[in-house]
């Protein structure tokens, strides 16, 4: 009886255990099945998504890139520093028809924008016409205004241009209109390309050098009180423009209409009589034609010449009557330059000036380019052109002319756009040997006591150059009250790398400015004469002092 009971108990226990295990297995199986089902659904979703994305990729390979409306490529300097950048911005508008509580809305807006004119905003709400409340709203204010939850407030995301350097490149970069279309500068001339290219447009300019040059122009603006000024710094061998500053300038971010003609780009658009800087071209043409040599003497030069109704005279009666060609350029002799021009005759001087690019309108990267004033050649015009009187050009063309005369005689094309540094065969336009002769004379203009550019003799940079002081033309003649003072320079003359033109438009003398002589000891207070030698040369010297170390380190191999 006891054995039987024991067996029954074991069967019961086994049965109990079996039933319990079966129940657990059912529960575990149901869980696993559910989890598997979830994973299966997720896998299917991801698989469908991957197939969809794959099909999109295939489609995109056959379709052109879809570009956002108003897209424009960024612009950078030669070192990759941003000059222009396209960024997303948000404009906030209000639809008065959807305003529920006008009074409450105005109170809330005033808390966010305390400086706005709310009388004007209230009047706009009354007109029941959609208007923009804030363009390019800040992230902070955007968060505040959208948290109001007012359905009348609308946000619009747009692409817009920002100019991190503000005024620094205003004349080079130019402006765009409200539709993001270029209306001046590179923004205009490269309007279509900027819409198409993906990579930034790289320029030849150097932001650091541009900044330092502009700072000097601003400083001397207060000293010589000129109407305006410009500086061009260019690679003498390939035409790359490292800096082009025209002052006064403007902040591109303000999108203001600039109608004052004083804000023109003087470097490219300004057309001037530049005076004695043209004497370098006259002598270079004489050397080119083999009519003169550096030491050719001109004896018994008159102090005055009559040409038609006009009198041509020396600017300084102390200039000797007997001068060599070299001395004519060093002492800036008018009569000697006329005699060389007469040897050349019209056809040869005109041909030389044309091939160095100073007579006709230049083809350049921006459209704001001035055209030299045409004139009729004759005996008197030949005489005056020989010393830079009665002929006009732009500072950019003057820089080009000096580059060709100074670089060994090779054609160059001034440019703001960085190109591949492949070596292209240069076209010779002036005979070999002319440049070395001219450059030596330009150096003596800076280093000798009879020269007119002492203040540009900055130690270590071998500066050579020529001054030009020109009276401005007015109705019926010229005025001594308004001058254009120019200094065209090359450095270092033993191995020319750079050409720099400094122009001051209507400078005045300074009573308190202290000059420090370079070729002799001592200093001088006040500007004794309103000439290039006492104004533009001083500016050029200070600029070279500032930018010289950068040029010597950054571009030593270029």
């Amino acid at each position: 009886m006891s054995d039987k009971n024991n067996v029954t108990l074991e069967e019961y226990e086994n049965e109990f255990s079996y039933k319990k295990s079966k129940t657990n297995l059912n529960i575990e199986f149901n869980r696993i099945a559910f989890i598997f089902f979830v994973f299966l659904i997720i896998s299917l979703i991801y698989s469908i998504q991957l197939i969809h994305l794959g099909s999109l990729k295939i489609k995109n390979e056959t379709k052109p890139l879809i570009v956002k409306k108003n897209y424009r490529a960024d612009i950078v300097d030669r070192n990759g520093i941003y000059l222009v950048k396209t960024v997303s911005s948000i404009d906030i508008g209000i639809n008065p028809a959807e305003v529920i509580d006008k009074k409450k809305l105005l109170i809330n807006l005033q808390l966010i924008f305390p400086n706005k004119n709310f009388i004007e905003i209230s009047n706009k709400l009354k007109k029941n016409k959609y208007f923009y409340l804030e363009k390019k709203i800040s992230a902070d204010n955007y968060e505040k205004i959208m948290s109001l939850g007012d359905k009348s407030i609308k946000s619009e995301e747009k692409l817009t241009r920002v100019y991190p350097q503000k005024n620094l490149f205003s004349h080079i970069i130019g402006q765009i209109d409200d539709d993001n279309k270029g209306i001046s500068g590179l923004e205009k001339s490269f309007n279509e390309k900027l819409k198409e290219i993906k990579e930034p447009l790289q320029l030849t300019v150097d932001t650091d050098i541009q900044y330092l040059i502009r700072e000097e122009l601003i400083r001397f603006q207060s000293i010589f009180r000129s109407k305006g000024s410009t500086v061009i710094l260019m690679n003498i061998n390939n035409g790359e423009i490292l800096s082009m500053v025209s002052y006064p300038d403007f902040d591109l971010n303000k999108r203001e209409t600039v109608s004052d003609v004083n804000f023109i780009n003087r470097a490219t658009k300004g057309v001037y009589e530049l005076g004695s800087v043209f004497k370098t071209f006259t002598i270079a043409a004489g050397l080119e034609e083999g009519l003169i040599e550096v030491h050719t003497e001109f004896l018994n030069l008159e102090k005055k010449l009559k040409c038609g109704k006009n009198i041509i005279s020396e600017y300084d009666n102390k200039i000797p009557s007997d001068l060599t060609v070299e001395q004519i350029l060093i002492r800036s002799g008018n009569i000697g330059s006329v005699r060389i021009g007469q040897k050349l005759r019209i056809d040869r001087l005109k041909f030389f000036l044309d091939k160095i690019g100073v007579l006709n309108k230049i083809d350049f990267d921006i459209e704001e380019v001035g055209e030299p004033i045409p004139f009729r050649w004759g005996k008197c015009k030949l005489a005056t052109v020989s010393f830079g009187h009665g002929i006009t050009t732009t500072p950019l063309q003057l820089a080009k002319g000096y580059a060709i005369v100074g670089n060994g005689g090779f054609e160059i094309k001034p440019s703001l756009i960085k190109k591949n540094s492949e070596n292209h065969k240069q076209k010779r336009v002036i005979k070999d040997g002319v440049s070395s002769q001219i450059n030596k004379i330009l150096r003596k203009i800076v280093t000798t006591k009879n020269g007119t550019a002492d203040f540009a003799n900055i130690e270590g940079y071998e500066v050579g150059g020529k001054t030009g002081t020109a009276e401005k033309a007015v109705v019926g003649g010229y005025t001594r009250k308004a001058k254009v003072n120019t200094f065209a320079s090359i450095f270092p003359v033993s191995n020319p790398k750079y050409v720099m033109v400094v122009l001051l438009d209507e400078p005045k003398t300074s009573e308190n400015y202290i000059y420090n002589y370079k070729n002799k000891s001592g200093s001088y207070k006040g500007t004794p004469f309103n000439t290039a030698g006492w104004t533009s040369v001083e500016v050029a010297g200070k600029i070279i002092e500032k930018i010289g170390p950068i040029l010597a380190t950054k571009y030593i191999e270029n």
Side-chain angles (χ1 to χ4, degrees):
M1 184 70 182
S2 61
D3 290 342
K4 192 176 180 179
N5 289 336
N6 286 338
V7 169
T8 303
L9 178 63
E10 286 175 3
E11 287 177 355
Y12 177 79
E13 286 178 349
N14 287 338
E15 187 179 336
F16 177 80
S17 297
Y18 171 75
K19 288 180 180 178
K20 182 177 180 183
S21 297
K22 187 177 180 181
T23 304
N24 288 342
L25 283 172
N26 285 335
I27 293 170
E28 291 298 327
F29 176 78
N30 289 337
R31 286 177 179 173
I32 291 169
F34 176 75
I35 293 169
F36 176 78
F37 178 75
V38 171
F39 273 104
L40 179 64
I41 295 298
I42 292 172
S43 298
L44 284 171
I45 292 170
Y46 272 101
S47 297
I48 293 168
Q49 182 69 8
L50 286 171
I51 292 168
H52 176 65
L53 290 173
S55 66
L56 284 178
K57 185 177 180 181
I58 293 169
K59 289 178 182 178
N60 285 341
E61 286 176 355
T62 60
K63 290 184 178 181
L65 177 70
I66 299 173
V67 182
K68 282 187 177 182
K69 184 181 178 182
N70 290 335
Y71 167 82
R72 295 175 76 85
D74 299 335
I75 302 177
V76 298
D77 81 345
R78 66 187 301 115
N79 300 307
I81 296 173
Y82 282 100
L83 309 183
V84 188
K85 194 162 182 59
T86 295
V87 298
S88 293
S89 67
I90 296 176
D91 295 343
I92 297 295
I94 294 179
N95 183 6
E98 297 183 59
V99 175
I100 297 173
D101 190 334
K102 176 183 169 184
K103 186 176 180 181
K104 181 181 177 182
L105 176 62
L106 287 172
I107 291 171
N108 287 330
L109 292 179
Q110 199 159 9
L111 291 172
I112 301 171
F113 306 103
N115 297 321
K116 283 192 177 294
N117 185 341
F118 279 89
I119 295 175
E120 184 181 335
I121 293 172
S122 180
N123 291 332
K124 286 182 178 180
L125 288 170
K126 290 176 183 177
K127 292 178 182 178
N128 217 33
K129 186 179 179 181
Y130 183 89
F131 64 93
Y132 285 104
L133 175 73
E134 178 81 347
K135 290 192 174 184
K136 299 179 187 177
I137 192 170
S138 67
D140 186 43
N141 283 342
Y142 174 75
E143 188 177 340
K144 289 178 182 177
I145 198 168
M146 297 311 291
S147 67
L148 297 178
D150 194 313
K151 66 178 184 179
S152 67
I153 298 172
K154 312 294 181 181
S155 66
E156 297 177 13
E157 185 177 358
K158 292 183 177 180
L159 289 179
T160 188
R161 298 286 259 180
V162 293
Y163 304 90
Q165 312 301 331
K166 298 181 179 179
N167 297 50
L168 194 56
F169 294 96
S170 55
H171 291 97
I172 293 175
I173 300 299
Q175 294 179 297
I176 59 173
D177 61 16
D178 290 336
D179 297 321
N180 263 23
K181 181 181 178 181
I183 56 175
S184 64
L186 292 172
E187 291 279 29
K188 181 180 181 182
S189 56
F190 282 76
N191 186 60
E192 294 306 317
K193 185 172 183 178
L194 288 167
K195 292 178 182 178
E196 297 169 359
I197 59 175
K198 299 176 186 177
E199 298 298 320
L201 180 68
Q202 187 171 33
L203 308 189
T204 60
V205 294
D206 185 299
T207 300
D208 295 335
I209 291 173
Q210 181 90 348
Y211 174 80
L212 291 172
I213 290 176
R214 181 175 180 270
E215 286 296 295
E216 287 304 304
L217 285 188
I218 293 172
R219 184 166 77 91
F220 279 101
Q221 176 72 24
S222 63
I223 295 169
F224 295 130
R225 296 161 290 144
S226 57
K227 183 179 178 182
S229 54
T230 187
V231 174
I232 299 169
L233 177 69
M234 184 169 69
N235 184 311
I236 200 170
N237 297 305
N238 63 19
E240 286 188 353
I241 293 174
L242 292 166
S243 176
M244 188 170 76
V245 182
S246 182
Y247 190 81
D249 48 34
F250 46 92
D251 186 348
L252 292 169
N253 292 300
K254 293 183 178 179
R255 302 281 183 93
E256 294 175 336
T257 301
V258 182
S259 56
D260 188 343
V261 293
N262 199 39
F263 284 81
I264 67 164
N265 186 349
R266 283 177 164 78
T268 63
K269 187 70 173 174
V271 177
Y272 303 95
E273 284 194 29
L274 298 172
S276 297
V277 289
F278 265 76
K279 292 171 183 173
T280 303
F281 300 149
T282 302
I283 291 173
L287 294 171
E288 165 84 350
E289 294 294 335
L291 299 174
I292 57 172
E293 294 180 358
V294 171
H295 298 295
T296 299
E297 289 185 311
F298 285 80
L299 305 176
N300 302 314
L301 293 169
E302 306 93 323
K303 295 298 178 187
K304 292 183 179 181
L305 285 176
K306 189 174 182 181
C307 194
K309 296 179 181 179
N310 300 312
I311 301 295
I312 299 172
S313 59
E314 298 288 16
Y315 84 94
D316 183 357
N317 286 326
K318 294 179 182 179
I319 294 178
S321 297
D322 298 338
L323 295 170
T324 64
V325 168
E326 179 181 85
Q327 290 169 337
I328 288 170
L329 191 56
I330 291 172
R331 303 193 71 137
S332 200
N334 290 340
I335 306 301
S337 299
V338 171
R339 293 305 183 206
I340 296 172
Q342 289 171 338
K343 278 182 170 288
L344 281 162
R345 299 197 305 270
I346 291 173
D347 56 343
R348 286 184 287 206
L349 181 57
K350 182 181 178 182
F351 177 71
F352 185 87
L353 295 176
D354 187 44
K355 69 181 179 180
I356 64 171
V358 298
L359 283 184
N360 301 302
K361 188 175 182 179
I362 192 171
D363 180 26
F364 192 49
D365 298 320
I366 59 176
E367 296 180 15
E368 293 76 31
V369 174
E371 184 171 4
I373 300 171
F375 57 86
R376 181 176 295 177
W377 286 87
K379 288 183 178 180
C380 287
K381 181 59 74 172
L382 170 64
T384 59
V385 166
S386 299
F387 64 93
H389 183 80
I391 182 171
T392 62
T393 197
T394 64
L396 177 64
Q397 289 170 275
L398 180 69
K400 177 181 178 178
Y402 265 78
I404 294 172
V405 168
N407 71 7
F410 296 99
E411 172 69 44
I412 59 106
K413 181 175 170 43
S415 180
L416 291 164
I417 308 302
K418 187 71 176 166
K419 300 177 178 66
N420 294 333
S421 57
E422 298 176 2
N423 291 323
H424 298 285
K425 189 175 181 181
Q426 290 182 295
K427 177 184 175 183
R428 179 178 289 283
V429 294
I430 299 176
K431 291 178 182 177
D432 186 26
V434 173
S435 289
S436 60
Q437 294 178 82
I438 289 292
N439 290 348
K440 287 175 184 177
I441 304 174
L442 295 179
R443 178 62 178 154
K444 290 180 180 180
I445 292 171
V446 175
T447 60
T448 61
K449 67 176 183 179
N450 290 323
T452 56
D454 164 83
F455 298 118
N457 192 19
I458 309 304
E459 187 177 355
Y461 298 103
E462 279 190 283
V463 180
K466 182 70 188 79
T467 54
T469 304
E471 294 175 352
K472 273 196 166 183
V474 294
V475 178
Y478 293 82
T479 175
R480 292 187 176 184
K481 294 180 180 180
K483 295 182 177 181
V484 176
N485 293 349
T486 310
F487 181 56
S489 61
I490 292 169
F491 60 98
V493 292
S494 61
N495 183 23
K497 292 182 181 294
Y498 308 103
V499 60
M500 186 171 75
V501 169
V502 176
L503 180 146
L504 302 184
D505 190 352
E506 297 188 23
K508 313 293 187 299
T509 57
S510 172
E511 294 181 0
N512 300 313
Y513 184 73
I514 305 296
Y515 293 87
N516 294 305
Y517 292 114
K518 300 295 187 296
N519 297 331
K520 60 182 179 181
S521 60
S523 59
Y524 192 93
K525 183 179 180 180
T527 310
F529 305 103
N530 189 3
T531 61
W534 287 95
T535 56
S536 301
V537 175
E538 177 68 6
V539 176
K542 295 301 182 185
I543 287 173
I544 293 171
E545 281 183 341
K546 296 290 193 306
I547 69 173
I550 298 176
L551 295 174
T553 53
K554 268 190 180 181
Y555 308 113
I556 193 167
E557 299 298 329
N558 295 335

